[in-house]
Amino acid sequence: MTRILSALVLVPLVLAAIWLAPAWLFALVIAVVVGVSVAEYANLVEKTGVPVPRTVSTSAAVAASVAVAWPGVPADVVLAACVVAVPLVVLAAGRPAPRVPASAAAAMFPVAFLGVPLGLIGAIRGAYGREVVLLLLVVVWVSDSAQYYLGSWLGRHRLAPAVSPGKSVEGAIGGVVAGITSMVGLGRLWLPAASLAQLAAFGAVLVGLGIAGDLFESLLKRSADVKDSSGLIPGHGGVLDRVDALLFVMPGAFVTLRLIL
């Protein structure tokens, strides 16, 4: 019940942001999500014994997300600056130690893992419209729900038992079918330039990437020996737990949209 109540609060907020927010406000919302996600990511990494320079890592990831999401911001310049700024801060603050390479890599990773993928939501909204962003989210949500409920009902074979024991092959198959169906059904309205075959393939790619994103975050959590990235969202865990699929889906969607439209 807590899971459902949280969704009833969050979903209207997400839809309102997608549909009503001007570009600058939408970029700001994404930046807040990125900032919280970096904090949760840093908590996971630090539980493995690797320190994360939080200030520079968060600043770089947020800057990357805004640069990608907000039309007119020179994304290439911002990303190039991030590539230089993070190692410089690590250099200035650090002393030679075995953990320095891991710490530097952990500080840089949120730019690529969180900032750019979430920023692409804004880029897709600006380039292809609100409807396409909503379409992508619906496909992910429908697929996730099908995986969860069908997996709970019919799941017998573990998909990746070492990483996510709760995921099943049966649930994944159901998620693929549900994702393709929703993409084909809504894509005919919101992506009319794409053929049915392209929509079906697009749906399958998105679901596959969503599963991979979910499993990757599960790998991080397993490595840190925690169940959720945080307890911020009752019944759902943390923000990172809610956006994990999108971290793989949005880059894949952006590339695919550029190829088919």
Side-chain angles (χ1 to χ4, degrees):
M1 181 59 70
T2 302
R3 184 183 181 91
I4 295 174
L5 291 175
S6 294
L8 290 175
V9 174
L10 289 174
V11 170
L13 293 176
V14 171
L15 295 179
I18 293 171
W19 214 257
L20 302 175
W24 68 267
L25 181 56
F26 194 67
L28 178 60
V29 171
I30 290 173
V32 171
V33 173
V34 170
V36 176
S37 297
V38 173
E40 294 180 348
Y41 156 84
N43 287 337
L44 294 179
V45 173
E46 287 172 353
K47 286 182 182 297
T48 69
V50 177
V52 179
R54 290 180 179 237
T55 300
V56 67
S57 186
T58 302
S59 299
V62 168
S65 73
V66 173
V68 173
W70 194 351
V73 177
D76 52 350
V77 174
V78 174
L79 291 174
C82 290
V83 169
V84 175
V86 175
L88 280 177
V89 171
V90 174
L91 172 63
R95 295 181 177 180
R99 67 184 185 181
V100 167
S103 181
M108 180 62 74
F109 189 53
V111 172
F113 178 52
L114 297 167
V116 172
L118 294 176
L120 284 172
I121 302 174
I124 291 170
R125 183 178 185 254
Y128 302 103
R130 302 169 298 182
E131 297 86 354
V132 174
V133 172
L134 185 56
L135 172 63
L136 299 177
L137 293 181
V138 167
V139 170
V140 172
W141 290 340
V142 168
S143 172
D144 282 350
S145 297
Q147 291 175 57
Y148 179 79
Y149 290 108
L150 286 176
S152 300
W153 179 34
L154 299 174
R156 297 293 182 273
H157 302 87
R158 299 301 95 189
L159 181 64
V163 176
S164 182
K167 281 195 173 296
S168 68
V169 173
E170 293 81 0
I173 293 172
V176 171
V177 173
I180 291 175
T181 301
S182 58
M183 173 58 80
V184 170
L186 292 174
R188 297 176 67 183
L189 298 174
W190 292 342
L191 281 176
S195 68
L196 290 180
Q198 286 175 323
L199 290 173
F202 194 14
V205 168
L206 293 184
V207 173
L209 289 173
I211 292 173
D214 193 349
L215 289 175
F216 184 81
E217 199 234 351
S218 293
L219 178 62
L220 295 181
K221 291 189 292 186
R222 284 259 161 194
S223 299
D225 195 26
V226 298
K227 181 178 183 295
D228 297 316
S229 61
S230 78
L232 187 62
I233 306 174
H236 290 267
V239 172
L240 190 55
D241 295 319
R242 290 298 86 209
V243 302
D244 53 4
L246 301 182
L247 303 177
F248 281 37
V249 164
M250 289 303 165
F254 185 77
V255 171
T256 304
L257 287 168
R258 291 291 296 268
L259 292 175
I260 68 175
L261 295 182

